[in-house]
Amino acid sequence: PSSSPRHDDLKEMLDSNKDSLKLEAMKRIVAMIARGKNASDLFPAVVKNVACKNIEVKKLVYVYLVRYAEEQQDLALLSISTFQRGLKDPNQLIRASALRVLSSIRVTIIVPIMMLAIKEAASDMSPYVRKTAAHAIPKLYSLDPEQKDCLIEVIEKLLADKTTLVAGSVVMAFEEVCPERIDLIHKNYRKLCNLLIDVEEWGQVVIINMLTRYARTQFLNPNMNESLLEEGGGEKAFYGSDNDDDTDDEEDKEEKEKKKTEATAIVKRKPYVMDPDHRLLLRNTKPLLQSRNAAVVMAVAQLYFHLAPKAEVGVIAKALVRLMRSHSEVQYVVLQNVATMSIKRRGMFEPYLKSFYIRSTDPTQIKVLKLEVLTNLANETNISTILREFQDDHFNDKDFVAATIQAIGRCATNIGEVRDTCLNGLVQLLSNRDELVVAESVVVIKKLLQMQPEQHSDIIKHMAKLTDNIQVPMARASILWLIGEYCEHVPKIAPDVLRKMAKTFTNEEDIVKLQIINLAAKLYLTNSKQTKLLTQYVLNLAKYDQNYDIRDRARFIRQLIVPTDKSGALSKYAKKLFLALKPAPVLESPFKDRDHFQLGSLSHLLNAKAGGYQVLPDWPEAAPDPSVRNVEVKESVPEWTKCSSREKRKEKKADKPFYSDSEGESGPTESADSDTASGSESGSGSEESGSGSESEESNEESESASEEDEEEEGKKKKKNVEKIKARKPVPETCLAVHAVFTQPPPLPVSVPQTIIPSGNLKTYELLHRITGEGLSVEYCFSRQPFSPDPHMVAVKIQFTNSATSEAKSLHVEDAKLQSGMRIKEFPEIEVLPAGETVSVVMGIDFCDSTQAANFQLCTHTRKFFVSIQPPVGELMMPIFMTENEFKKEQGQLMGMNEITEKLTLEEKCQGEHAVVQRVTTAANLSRVPCGSDKECRFAGKTVTSGSLVLVSVVTKEDGAAQLTVNCEKMVIGTMLVKDILQALTQ
Amino acid sequence: MINSLFLINPSGEMFLEKHWKSVVSRSVCDYFLEAKEKALEPEDVPPVIHTPHHYLISIYRDKLFFLSVIQTEVPPLFVIEFLHRVAEMIQDYFGECSETVVKDHMVMVYELLEEMLDNGFPLATESNVLKEMIRPPTILRSVVNTLTGTSNVGDTLLTGQLSTIPWRRAGVRYTNNEAYFDVVEEIDAILDQSGTTVFAEIQGVVEACVKLSGMPDLTLSFMNPRLLDDVSFHPCVRYKLWESERVLSFIPPDGNFTLMTYHVNAQNLVAIPVYVKQSISFFECGSDGRLDVTVGPKQTMGKTVEGVMVTVHLPKTILSINLTATQGSYTYDNGTKLLVWDIGKLNPQKLPNLRGSLSLQAGAPKPEENPSLNIDLKIQQLAISGLKVNRLDMFGEKYKPFKGVKYITKAGKFQVLTITASINKYT
């Protein structure tokens, strides 16, 4: 290699006796390396200085050595003895640094030396040296994979280490060398869970990800019984009113049905009880959602997503939304994961809808992902807001426009109620100035029309006209396909379009040509009189086309549709072939089912398996033996460091949980937990006596001890912050709510015009006696005006204390509300003696939506998460009107604001009295006088916005009837129709 | 984990590279440069790029790309978070993170990177620990260094790595023991054209500068901790104590650090400190339009609003503008169509106004887009959420520290939406 004169300079400086010259030379060399310049020819000159006394020079020589040793293996060997000497140094830092450099020199010949050094360092007194040993393991493994078995032994040894310093690094080594050896984790599982909070951030990420996989192999699916408890759709009802459109629901039901039967099968064998170790993991990772490190938060979030019972997963939403306010790269990754999560667990992100609103300053990839999330979150209550969000002028960005239009299309397919609104919106876009907008709209409209073509022949006509102007091939092709497919709806226009197309055929793009042929064929089959010649002409043109696909297609079609003597049996079926009923396309999220990749992983983000990705296993059918995680008391090595006391502190907590634990574990499971506690506590006992073996750590010891005291104090003060306990019964509550929708109890209604007396009101459970530890809470919508704020719905809440001791200071806290919603808390109940019952009234402004109001119900000791979800009928209050007023108002609420449904009244429900009773039970409306006895009319207005709600039921013979609802708020109207229909027909 | 790191400037020059495993040829960056070419703005470059043999994960920060090369599965956020730490570390050491600074301190940055990762796995990312190993430059020291030929590498063996409190070095000594906390709040808001709040929330951060001797154990409490809707902490904070008692209990790092960040729910109505009256309109015929913007104080809790600045991206078809400001001055870049009006302090007696005419390119249609106004502002001695520090207690040390708290409110992403009206030709 030709070395420049300048390098000779450097060599000279390196050879000098002056440290300052050497240092200067090394600095210049390292700067060259940093800039990516080649400095390998200096190797001999540099390596001579490896034993230099000056620590600064030495450090830079190490840097150089690590960079070039691989290229200059022979020369690199010269330096090895220096490091070997360093490994024996009495100073732990020198030992660690020697090992670090030695293991970074990628020279195969020294593999045995490295192996020996790692083994020795793994049993070093100093945890820092042991940490360095853990770091060295993957280095050696990548250099020589044959060392695997030996390295696994070292990993096993280091996994047993009890210091936080080592934990992260050794799990990292485990993941790189032997991730499949899950058996090595058993004995260390509880320790890792307990150390976790004190491990440094990067180690936390690696440990949490590994434990997620571990848990999937060792515990049972906590959600396997869930569907059974909830009785289908319960979970959805909990989060909000998403009565999805039919297809989705059916699919869901089927799935649930299947799960239910599976679950029943399992349940019959053994009721599901969460393994206490499973609980331990959930409990100990939860506080880390508050970490400043986005990777840690994401790791916990994915752990909860993959491992937690459904009712508990919600806690991660807030933390993920927080990450959305971070750097745009963080947002990008988080949104990818939220997009996947929001398909399975839509409810948990609904309260944070606004956080996903698109800002004009967002980078394109963020915009597209937000759009994806918004689309996933769309349901009938929020769709109008979301559509407005979509329409807001984000039309500067070409990629984004296309994505927006597709998103509108997906909302339209998923939510039947807004299909027409969306379609109208898209049709309006057809007259947009930008051709791309028009083209994309055409493609999406085509898909939507396929769902109900018969109702939209005018749109098809409109689109036919567009062929004159629009030039984007895909859009032209879509229009032609539509016209061909639904030519019966536009019998006059279709042949004309074909005529125009025949004219321009030769100038069209290939996809358009294919569709012209297609159109011709379909028209020929339905209307051969008018189009025979045109079809012949088109087929002739196609026959001589340059593209063989088009030539082939023409030949094939001619054979098929034009009957000749040669044409076989097939041509008889030509019409069936071409005009078969085609299933409407499914517009689904590209993130659907992406959760088979572990969330937060690179593979998930790319939707492709990255090298080294460990598959997230499915839950086992039956739980493997949990006793493998039991640790024998004897095994706790006396080699305790300061961390042990921290550990002890935490294991005490495992014994008497008081921070994050919470989740209602029943008795028997807890007892299994106790042997961890007892095991480790006796271990820590031994620690107390035998500690301080390492002098350099003793001051640390005292620190953590004091910390412990403080926490002890904290324990006394707030013994119970068991928040989540209330979550489990929530599905039951929903069940109750659900039941009301489907089966209104036959209530005797005396005077229909007045408000139903509260005694007949349906009560719902807010907190079950068992979860509430004796405190049970019920609520009902009292249908009385809420005097402090007329825009609030009055909710009467009844507390019953069936415990033996009094409950104190009952109050509401920490409301988690959709934006705009408000709560007027009831005045705090200071004391509720045992056995007493008390009722209070609180006001909730639901903003005219059926979104649940979530809040915490607090006693002096406990907090319970509860939620109140109003049936749509409770969102309104009665108003009085004359017949004439009613007619006038009804006349003004036509078109989109009117919904009419035909129905057959249930047997028991025929007759005016029954109808009035059922309608007023379903909705808080008052009766409007009416001249005809065939018609019942009701009026009310929504509580928040005061929008009119008018209902009329016209009865005919044999129980046939027609229900009409007029309401400014289309969504309210739609939901109300559904509820009243149900009330009248069941 | 992380194989290599490249620092790349906006023109695509790779001016620093560091490899923690075998060297990866810099040609791997071509995939990235290609994506960068395609992107309109540097922010639009996808953060994760898949190449045949590697994965490229990058961040764009301080006008630099930090590009890491990955070979196997690793959580993308792990890498992204680390890259941001690298940028923060450079900022922390040299006062700013820029190409010039990195080029000036090439060797030191390289050494820092060497310490931060071992075999691609983070080893020391805490500023406290790093600073003990490699001392940051000061003017005095750099003079001494040039004279004596020594450098900034710590000359004693370090103990930072050995602490179980990884964020605090041992043996800290100060003659003046002091602890300062800055409560900084940013308002993110979108106001519609009528001034109604579409969206508003507050992002807060508590920045600390703690210079205390020994191993102090601090407890910071707030008057109204329930205001805080969501919090995240420096690892030093005892999470569980916050959960149970709403106090921040921690052994602080030495020096500057971010103690916590928080979020105040939009539910607790966010006070909006200024209002903006604006109209941007174009005549139905012809190619002229008008702009008229007035800014005034709204809910300021009696404090002065300073540093007010209004930024508008005008429609692309604007040819020229002719405006007059009653206060402050405006600049307009015809290339980017960016109008910046620097107002300064708001005087409630005399509201600043900017008005004048806009002219469109001849024949251009009336612009369709509605430009939004971005507002910048600052209010000293006020945390707009109303958050107040109650007290700070110290345990574990005998001396009496000097304590101080400062509040400041700023505008974050503060946008006012407009609707361009059209005016019929006036005759």
Side-chain angles (χ1 to χ4, degrees):
Chain A
S2 63
S3 59
S4 67
R6 240 182 106 202
H7 284 196
D8 286 337
D9 248 31
L10 290 170
K11 280 177 194 159
E12 224 167 83
M13 286 162 83
L14 285 170
D15 286 342
S16 88
N17 307 329
K18 280 190 181 159
D19 279 356
S20 59
L21 278 180
K22 285 186 177 179
L23 187 62
E24 185 53 33
M26 280 317 296
K27 277 184 170 177
R28 277 162 57 184
I29 294 167
V30 170
M32 280 167 65
I33 298 175
R35 276 195 290 269
K37 303 247 162 61
N38 187 4
S40 61
D41 55 340
L42 288 161
F43 201 98
V46 174
V47 81
K48 272 186 275 183
N49 291 295
V50 72
C52 177
K53 288 277 180 304
N54 184 308
I55 193 159
E56 294 171 48
V57 175
K58 193 146 82 177
K59 267 192 133 178
L60 293 173
V61 171
Y62 286 3
V63 165
Y64 181 92
L65 203 58
V66 170
R67 168 67 180 77
Y68 283 115
E70 206 171 1
E71 293 169 29
Q72 308 263 344
Q73 306 222 348
D74 293 344
L75 286 169
L77 292 178
L78 296 175
S79 64
I80 301 301
S81 61
T82 318
F83 300 117
Q84 279 177 303
R85 231 175 298 133
L87 290 170
K88 305 274 181 239
D89 197 282
N91 185 318
Q92 51 175 339
L93 283 159
I94 294 180
R95 292 203 298 279
S97 139
L99 179 60
R100 191 175 161 204
V101 180
L102 180 70
S103 58
S104 299
I105 296 175
R106 287 169 290 270
V107 176
T108 333
I109 228 168
I110 62 162
V111 164
I113 300 175
M114 273 166 78
M115 191 68 228
L116 204 69
I118 290 175
K119 272 186 180 161
E120 259 176 42
S123 23
D124 198 286
M125 286 283 284
S126 152
Y128 183 58
V129 176
R130 298 202 297 275
K131 182 190 176 74
T132 316
H135 276 265
I137 293 170
K139 297 184 204 169
L140 178 51
Y141 180 63
S142 71
L143 194 61
D144 182 9
E146 301 215 329
Q147 301 296 319
K148 184 169 174 174
D149 292 337
C150 286
L151 288 174
I152 290 178
E153 278 172 36
V154 184
I155 289 174
E156 196 171 359
K157 185 179 170 62
L158 286 172
L159 274 172
D161 205 293
K162 293 194 168 55
T163 58
T164 49
L165 208 55
V166 181
S169 305
V170 66
V171 172
M172 182 64 234
F174 170 85
E175 289 286 77
E176 290 211 358
V177 177
C178 53
E180 71 287 350
R181 288 291 303 275
I182 216 87
D183 56 295
L184 297 180
I185 302 302
H186 293 320
K187 293 275 180 239
N188 301 298
Y189 173 83
R190 289 172 193 163
K191 182 196 65 195
L192 285 173
C193 287
N194 287 325
L195 285 183
L196 192 59
I197 202 159
D198 288 334
V199 173
E200 39 81 38
E201 300 159 274
W202 313 104
Q204 284 172 346
V205 177
V206 177
I207 296 176
I208 294 170
N209 280 325
M210 184 276 288
L211 288 179
T212 307
R213 253 179 29 245
Y214 178 85
R216 276 293 192 99
T217 62
Q218 301 299 318
F219 307 131
L220 293 177
N221 184 354
N223 296 317
M224 64 180 173
N225 291 352
E226 205 81 343
S227 51
L228 190 80
L229 291 171
E230 284 167 5
E231 211 113 71
E235 184 245 357
K236 285 194 167 177
F238 169 54
Y239 287 118
S241 57
D242 27 329
N243 304 319
D244 261 343
D245 84 313
D246 322 17
T247 51
D248 223 26
D249 244 4
E250 255 160 53
E251 229 180 64
D252 246 38
K253 261 182 210 154
E254 257 171 54
E255 218 172 271
K256 287 223 159 95
E257 214 71 31
K258 219 166 75 189
K259 273 192 194 154
K260 208 196 299 186
T261 44
E262 273 170 29
T264 334
I266 295 170
V267 170
K268 269 180 193 156
R269 264 184 279 140
K270 201 178 163 194
Y272 173 74
V273 178
M274 185 182 280
D275 189 305
D277 286 327
H278 187 173
R279 175 52 69 203
L280 177 74
L281 178 61
L282 292 173
R283 194 163 56 205
N284 285 5
T285 46
K286 196 171 144 208
L288 293 176
L289 283 174
Q290 247 69 58
S291 172
R292 64 166 173 179
N293 186 317
V296 175
V297 176
M298 188 66 230
V300 180
Q302 67 82 27
L303 181 134
Y304 263 73
F305 181 81
H306 290 299
L307 302 181
K310 268 184 193 167
E312 293 170 36
V313 182
V315 295
I316 65 175
K318 189 191 262 186
L320 289 176
V321 168
R322 180 199 323 131
L323 298 187
M324 295 274 308
R325 296 188 280 264
S326 181
H327 304 285
S328 82
E329 299 86 10
V330 175
Q331 273 188 51
Y332 173 75
V333 178
V334 171
L335 278 167
Q336 297 258 359
N337 286 287
V338 170
T340 302
M341 291 182 187
S342 59
I343 292 173
K344 273 248 167 84
R345 305 254 190 275
R346 176 209 288 171
M348 76 184 187
F349 293 106
E350 268 177 12
Y352 303 101
L353 194 67
K354 278 194 173 175
S355 306
F356 301 103
Y357 281 6
I358 295 149
R359 283 174 181 273
S360 55
T361 47
D362 285 333
T364 310
Q365 67 263 25
I366 299 283
K367 284 184 184 169
V368 172
L369 285 167
K370 281 187 171 173
L371 199 63
E372 176 66 37
V373 172
L374 284 174
T375 311
N376 290 342
L377 295 183
N379 64 23
E380 42 198 48
T381 29
N382 59 26
I383 182 71
S384 43
T385 344
I386 291 181
L387 285 180
R388 203 176 329 122
E389 186 62 20
F390 286 176
Q391 282 160 13
D392 275 354
D393 44 356
H394 303 304
F395 285 118
N396 306 325
D397 193 329
K398 292 269 188 290
D399 298 331
F400 187 58
V401 178
T404 310
I405 294 168
Q406 283 163 10
I408 295 175
R410 250 174 61 206
C411 287
T413 41
N414 296 336
I415 304 165
E417 278 81 0
V418 294
R419 196 168 295 154
D420 288 342
T421 322
C422 291
L423 202 51
N424 286 338
L426 290 171
V427 171
Q428 274 164 28
L429 286 180
L430 291 179
S431 43
N432 193 289
R433 270 211 299 249
D434 190 334
E435 200 189 15
L436 274 177
V437 173
V438 180
E440 198 64 44
S441 307
V442 166
V443 176
V444 173
I445 290 174
K446 179 203 127 194
K447 291 180 180 162
L448 288 182
L449 287 185
Q450 263 183 281
M451 294 178 183
Q452 332 156 280
E454 57 293 333
Q455 294 167 20
H456 298 292
S457 53
D458 48 330
I459 297 180
I460 301 177
K461 276 179 208 153
H462 182 98
M463 292 177 69
K465 283 184 206 138
L466 284 175
T467 48
D468 295 342
N469 305 318
I470 195 164
Q471 295 306 324
V472 177
M474 189 60 209
R476 287 176 80 81
S478 294
I479 296 173
L480 292 174
W481 183 88
L482 258 183
I483 295 171
E485 189 67 16
Y486 305 114
C487 51
E488 282 157 13
H489 301 289
V490 284
K492 291 200 182 117
I493 294 176
D496 195 47
V497 172
L498 181 61
R499 180 184 61 80
K500 286 186 194 161
M501 286 300 155
K503 253 203 246 171
T504 59
F505 185 89
T506 45
N507 298 324
E508 299 287 354
E509 289 276 334
D510 290 348
I511 47 166
V512 183
K513 283 179 179 166
L514 287 172
Q515 286 308 325
I516 297 173
I517 301 172
N518 207 351
L519 172 66
K522 284 173 180 169
L523 285 177
Y524 183 87
L525 290 169
T526 51
N527 183 2
S528 63
K529 216 161 75 191
Q530 272 189 301
T531 57
K532 191 170 176 184
L533 286 172
L534 269 174
T535 308
Q536 298 275 3
Y537 177 65
V538 168
L539 289 176
N540 280 334
L541 284 177
K543 194 171 161 186
Y544 299 106
D545 199 273
Q546 289 194 324
N547 184 310
Y548 53 78
D549 256 353
I550 293 170
R551 295 198 300 272
D552 282 357
R553 182 75 64 92
R555 196 172 306 132
F556 160 72
I557 282 180
R558 190 192 295 273
Q559 287 300 314
L560 205 57
I561 60 171
V562 186
T564 58
D565 359 316
K566 269 187 275 172
S567 64
L570 260 185
S571 65
K572 268 189 283 180
Y573 301 106
K575 201 163 178 178
K576 274 190 187 157
L577 285 171
F578 278 101
L579 294 165
L581 210 56
K582 297 168 185 74
V586 186
L587 302 176
E588 65 181 19
S589 166
F591 286 88
K592 193 167 181 277
D593 292 332
R594 206 181 270 194
D595 61 336
H596 64 266
F597 285 117
Q598 187 166 3
L599 270 84
S601 66
L602 182 63
S603 303
H604 168 267
L605 189 132
L606 299 166
N607 201 18
K609 208 172 146 186
Y613 171 76
Q614 294 296 314
V615 177
L616 188 66
D618 239 339
W619 297 100
E621 283 284 318
D625 180 13
S627 68
V628 291
R629 285 181 293 277
N630 291 350
V631 185
E632 289 156 47
V633 184
K634 291 275 158 59
E635 219 178 88
S636 47
V637 193
E639 198 207 316
W640 284 81
T641 61
K642 57 236 165 185
C643 288
S644 56
S645 75
R646 285 185 165 211
E647 185 186 41
K648 180 188 78 188
R649 170 183 104 211
K650 255 165 266 116
E651 271 164 349
K652 269 189 186 163
K653 261 172 250 148
D655 186 17
K656 269 189 202 158
F658 86 101
Y659 274 138
S660 51
D661 49 284
S662 57
E663 285 80 279
E665 290 271 278
S666 48
T669 55
E670 206 74 271
S671 69
D673 203 8
S674 69
D675 57 40
T676 353
S678 63
S680 38
E681 230 169 321
S682 48
S684 49
S686 74
E687 178 270 330
E688 262 162 42
S689 53
S691 67
S693 57
E694 286 186 68
S695 56
E696 62 230 26
E697 285 143 10
S698 55
N699 61 344
E700 190 36 40
E701 185 88 48
S702 61
E703 181 275 317
S704 48
S706 71
E707 202 171 317
E708 185 188 343
D709 287 345
E710 259 167 65
E711 297 209 6
E712 207 86 45
E713 233 168 82
K715 199 191 299 191
K716 276 177 218 149
K717 280 186 199 158
K718 291 239 171 169
K719 205 176 170 197
N720 289 314
V721 198
E722 304 184 19
K723 292 187 181 173
I724 325 292
K725 208 154 192 175
R727 292 212 170 163
K728 275 202 173 158
V730 165
E732 289 171 33
T733 323
C734 297
L735 203 64
V737 176
H738 217 72
V740 170
F741 279 129
T742 49
Q743 288 187 329
L747 298 176
V749 175
S750 46
V751 194
Q753 274 89 350
T754 57
I755 297 154
I756 304 181
S758 55
N760 288 331
L761 292 170
K762 172 74 189 165
T763 57
Y764 308 89
E765 182 168 86
L766 195 58
L767 184 64
H768 189 268
R769 183 165 47 84
I770 295 177
T771 3
E773 293 176 350
L775 181 70
S776 70
V777 187
E778 290 182 323
Y779 69 95
C780 65
F781 296 94
S782 67
R783 297 199 169 181
Q784 305 285 346
F786 186 68
S787 49
D789 186 335
H791 294 302
M792 288 189 170
V793 177
V795 185
K796 189 172 148 191
I797 299 186
Q798 179 170 315
F799 295 89
T800 308
N801 185 0
S802 38
T804 47
S805 58
E806 57 187 20
K808 280 187 218 156
S809 105
L810 299 167
H811 65 280
V812 168
E813 217 176 73
D814 207 10
K816 300 270 174 313
L817 301 173
Q818 296 272 316
S819 65
M821 275 198 197
R822 295 173 300 137
I823 279 192
K824 175 84 183 136
E825 300 158 13
F826 54 83
E828 180 170 318
I829 301 167
E830 278 168 13
V831 182
L832 180 60
E836 296 281 304
T837 293
V838 65
S839 294
V840 289
V841 177
M842 69 188 283
I844 305 178
D845 178 355
F846 288 103
C847 278
D848 292 348
S849 87
T850 52
Q851 301 284 317
N854 301 309
F855 53 89
Q856 287 182 28
L857 209 54
C858 308
T859 70
H860 62 301
T861 51
R862 297 286 312 269
K863 293 178 179 188
F864 305 101
F865 280 102
V866 293
S867 81
I868 292 182
Q869 189 185 23
V872 65
E874 303 296 345
L875 296 175
M876 45 202 70
M877 55 195 192
I879 51 169
F880 298 97
M881 276 190 175
T882 62
E883 187 171 6
N884 282 339
E885 279 170 350
F886 185 90
K887 280 186 183 159
K888 196 177 133 220
E889 294 291 353
Q890 199 175 29
Q892 285 174 355
L893 289 169
M894 303 295 283
M896 301 277 268
N897 294 318
E898 181 174 275
I899 307 165
T900 305
E901 286 284 345
K902 291 204 166 56
L903 65 147
T904 314
L905 292 173
E906 197 226 349
E907 235 172 80
K908 283 186 219 145
C909 186
Q910 293 176 6
E912 188 191 336
H913 186 76
V915 170
V916 171
Q917 181 209 317
R918 296 217 176 177
V919 173
T920 50
T921 308
N924 190 13
L925 298 170
S926 66
R927 183 142 184 225
V928 174
C930 177
S932 149
D933 59 350
K934 292 277 179 222
E935 187 170 357
C936 302
R937 292 171 176 163
F938 309 87
K941 59 177 186 180
T942 62
V943 176
T944 304
S945 64
S947 313
L948 271 187
V949 183
L950 306 175
V951 176
S952 86
V953 182
V954 180
T955 50
K956 296 170 188 159
E957 281 104 69
D958 301 332
Q962 179 171 317
L963 168 69
T964 309
V965 172
N966 302 70
C967 180
E968 267 170 64
K969 300 219 157 188
M970 281 158 57
V971 178
I972 295 258
T974 321
M975 294 170 71
L976 190 60
V977 166
K978 219 184 255 177
D979 281 10
I980 296 180
L981 270 185
Q982 225 158 19
L984 292 173
T985 52
Q986 283 175 12
Chain B
M1 290 243 147
I2 299 168
N3 217 310
S4 308
L5 172 75
F6 293 91
L7 296 194
I8 301 174
N9 69 13
S11 57
E13 184 202 340
M14 293 158 253
F15 61 93
L16 186 144
E17 63 179 74
K18 171 81 185 98
H19 307 272
W20 286 276
K21 299 186 179 190
S22 293
V23 178
V24 177
S25 156
R26 51 165 61 194
S27 65
V28 75
C29 299
D30 293 351
Y31 295 96
F32 170 81
L33 296 174
E34 204 174 292
K36 182 177 150 291
E37 283 306 307
K38 262 191 248 164
L40 291 175
E41 304 283 334
E43 288 86 358
D44 289 339
V45 181
V48 181
I49 296 173
H50 187 174
T51 79
H53 301 292
H54 302 91
Y55 307 97
L56 307 178
I57 301 185
S58 64
I59 64 165
Y60 179 70
R61 186 168 161 159
D62 302 318
K63 302 214 170 65
L64 293 178
F65 290 101
F66 294 72
L67 174 78
S68 61
V69 183
I70 311 295
Q71 263 172 329
T72 53
E73 171 65 50
V74 56
L77 275 184
F78 187 99
V79 182
I80 288 169
E81 180 82 37
F82 174 77
L83 294 177
H84 279 291
R85 292 285 172 89
V86 172
E88 279 157 23
M89 182 272 297
I90 294 173
Q91 163 90 38
D92 187 34
Y93 260 78
F94 311 113
E96 68 167 297
C97 179
S98 69
E99 186 182 348
T100 332
V101 150
V102 173
K103 282 185 169 167
D104 286 352
H105 300 96
M106 207 65 152
V107 176
M108 203 191 274
V109 173
Y110 194 87
E111 282 183 286
L112 282 166
L113 291 172
E114 176 79 29
E115 294 299 338
M116 287 178 87
L117 290 186
D118 182 13
N119 195 36
F121 189 76
L123 188 64
T125 51
E126 281 297 332
S127 141
N128 255 280
V129 177
L130 284 171
K131 281 192 178 152
E132 207 180 340
M133 292 191 269
I134 298 160
R135 278 194 240 124
T138 62
I139 295 171
L140 180 68
R141 197 175 298 142
S142 57
V143 172
V144 174
N145 286 350
T146 38
L147 291 178
T148 62
T150 55
S151 85
N152 296 312
V153 177
D155 42 8
T156 50
L157 282 168
L158 346 133
T159 49
Q161 292 280 6
L162 303 174
S163 168
T164 41
I165 306 186
W167 57 83
R168 188 175 177 87
R169 59 194 179 94
V172 183
R173 282 283 165 268
Y174 288 102
T175 39
N176 296 320
N177 288 296
E178 39 193 22
Y180 298 107
F181 295 88
D182 289 359
V183 179
V184 183
E185 296 195 338
E186 288 193 1
I187 311 170
D188 287 351
I190 301 176
L191 308 183
D192 70 7
Q193 53 283 355
S194 63
T196 318
T197 310
V198 179
F199 168 88
E201 58 181 22
I202 296 171
Q203 316 294 349
V205 56
V206 180
E207 298 282 1
C209 175
V210 177
K211 294 182 174 170
L212 298 175
S213 312
M215 273 290 167
D217 195 334
L218 303 179
T219 304
L220 181 85
S221 62
F222 296 102
M223 305 275 267
N224 38 10
R226 284 215 182 138
L227 266 180
L228 308 179
D229 175 51
D230 183 42
V231 286
S232 70
F233 300 121
H234 189 276
C236 70
V237 175
R238 298 182 178 105
Y239 295 116
K240 294 184 170 184
L241 225 57
W242 169 262
E243 217 167 275
S244 61
E245 295 178 39
R246 301 277 146 177
V247 295
L248 294 175
S249 160
F250 56 99
I251 295 172
D254 182 41
N256 295 315
F257 64 101
T258 302
L259 179 61
M260 76 184 287
T261 62
Y262 62 88
H263 174 240
V264 176
N265 201 343
Q267 225 61 47
N268 307 323
L269 288 174
V270 174
I272 302 292
V274 294
Y275 70 88
V276 179
K277 267 201 284 192
Q278 44 74 26
S279 83
I280 298 177
S281 46
F282 294 96
F283 298 117
E284 197 63 51
C285 313
S287 56
D288 286 315
R290 299 193 152 196
L291 177 143
D292 189 335
V293 183
T294 309
V295 185
K298 204 173 168 188
Q299 292 157 289
T300 61
M301 325 285 166
K303 303 275 197 262
T304 316
V305 184
E306 333 171 356
V308 182
M309 186 133 78
V310 179
T311 313
V312 196
H313 268 283
L314 290 173
K316 291 199 180 68
T317 47
I318 297 265
L319 183 66
S320 66
I321 63 171
N322 183 14
L323 305 173
T324 323
T326 61
Q327 184 187 334
S329 59
Y330 77 88
T331 56
Y332 175 67
D333 179 346
N334 205 25
T336 57
K337 309 289 174 196
L338 193 69
L339 169 66
V340 181
W341 178 27
D342 189 348
I343 301 173
K345 222 177 245 179
L346 270 196
N347 179 2
Q349 267 72 51
K350 195 168 161 289
L351 299 181
N353 171 273
L354 178 71
R355 78 173 88 188
S357 61
L358 311 170
S359 47
L360 293 174
Q361 284 157 13
K366 187 175 102 57
E368 266 192 358
E369 65 256 50
N370 300 316
S372 57
L373 312 180
N374 290 301
I375 314 288
D376 213 357
L377 57 85
K378 203 188 253 183
I379 308 172
Q380 302 281 3
Q381 275 136 48
L382 174 73
I384 197 110
S385 68
L387 187 75
K388 278 225 155 60
V389 172
N390 184 18
R391 53 183 297 146
L392 176 74
D393 297 307
M394 186 182 72
F395 307 97
E397 294 290 336
K398 295 273 184 298
Y399 56 84
K400 234 179 141 66
F402 187 80
K403 304 176 270 194
V405 181
K406 207 167 80 187
Y407 300 92
I408 189 164
T409 296
K410 294 181 195 167
K413 293 174 190 155
F414 195 110
Q415 272 187 344
V416 181
L417 305 178
T418 66
I419 283 201
T420 49
S422 49
I423 309 167
N424 290 325
K425 192 180 175 185
Y426 55 105
T427 44

